[in-house]
């Protein structure tokens, strides 16, 4: 895994962390949960290995979010400004979905792949890469797609 050192933070700045490894996937999620959480048309889902999130300082708390059906996820927020920092699902506890907008520096990466396109806003232009109507059955589909994406140079 390629080592990097990119600082990240919550909106109020009390929580700080360092992303210590390159992401293993970066895609757009058009599900209604991501729309509600982000206040935008989609979530920028950056998947990293759990150990890539390093040097965490400041007041964090993990919450359990119940989704429709049986689905749940575990999300870490700043307790002061309530910014969502990262989260994970019980199926893949070794992978974190990082709030890419919290990184101080752009990694120079463009998202590749889209999921939950069936609830996408009608004006959205999808990112290049695969489009899944819902969550793909293969939970690692986006990780595989990212690894196999064409070089853009
Ligand atoms: Zn904060
Ligand atoms: Zn989503």
């Amino acid at each position: 895994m390629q080592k990097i050192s990119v600082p990240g933070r919550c909106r109020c700045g009390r929580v700080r962390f360092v992303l210590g490894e390159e992401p293993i996937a970066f895609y757009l999620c058009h599900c209604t949960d991501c729309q509600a959480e982000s206040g935008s048309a989609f979530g920028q889902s950056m998947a990293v290995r759990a150990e890539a999130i390093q040097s965490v300082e400041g007041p964090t708390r993990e919450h359990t979010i119940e989704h429709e059906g049986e689905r749940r996820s575990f999300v870490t927020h700043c307790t002061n400004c309530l910014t969502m920092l990262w989260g994970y699902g019980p199926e893949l506890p070794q992978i974190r979905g990082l709030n890419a907008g919290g990184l101080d520096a752009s990694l120079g990466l463009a998202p590749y792949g889209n999921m939950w396109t069936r609830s996408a806003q009608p004006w959205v232009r999808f990112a290049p890469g695969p489009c899944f109507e819902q969550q793909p059955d293969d939970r690692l589909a986006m990780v595989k797609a990212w690894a196999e994406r064409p070089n853009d140079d």
Side-chain angles (χ1 to χ4, degrees):
M1 197 55 55
Q2 186 79 35
K3 300 270 179 243
I4 57 174
S5 181
V6 177
R9 62 182 186 87
C10 64
R11 191 170 50 193
C12 79
R14 292 191 192 178
V15 176
R16 295 189 173 270
F17 62 93
V18 173
L19 179 62
E21 291 178 3
E22 294 256 335
I24 57 174
F26 183 31
Y27 60 91
L28 303 184
C29 182
H30 305 269
C31 83
T32 52
D33 288 344
C34 284
Q35 293 184 23
E37 166 74 41
S38 67
S40 182
F42 50 78
Q44 293 186 80
S45 292
M46 182 171 279
V48 301
R49 299 197 312 157
E51 51 267 49
I53 300 172
Q54 299 163 2
S55 309
V56 180
E57 289 172 29
T60 61
R61 188 169 152 205
E62 188 174 280
H63 300 258
T64 302
I65 297 185
E66 311 279 349
H67 303 274
E68 284 175 41
E70 302 280 280
R71 221 158 57 82
R72 46 170 51 192
S73 57
F74 308 100
V75 172
T76 297
H77 287 89
C78 168
T79 62
N80 185 56
C81 69
L82 306 181
T83 301
M84 191 203 89
L85 295 157
W86 51 78
Y88 66 98
E91 318 80 17
L92 285 175
Q94 72 278 27
I95 295 178
R96 297 285 177 275
L98 185 67
N99 176 0
L103 295 172
D104 283 357
S106 160
L107 298 179
L109 298 172
Y112 188 74
N114 305 268
M115 85 167 56
W116 287 100
T117 57
R118 74 174 190 188
S119 52
Q121 294 297 320
W123 50 265
V124 156
R125 284 182 62 191
F126 294 134
C131 287
F132 297 98
E133 276 200 3
Q134 306 180 49
Q135 169 91 45
D137 290 335
D138 178 359
R139 296 270 170 182
L140 292 173
M142 288 303 193
V143 172
K144 291 172 186 163
W146 182 255
E148 291 162 7
R149 76 193 188 283
N151 255 328
D152 52 10
D153 51 27

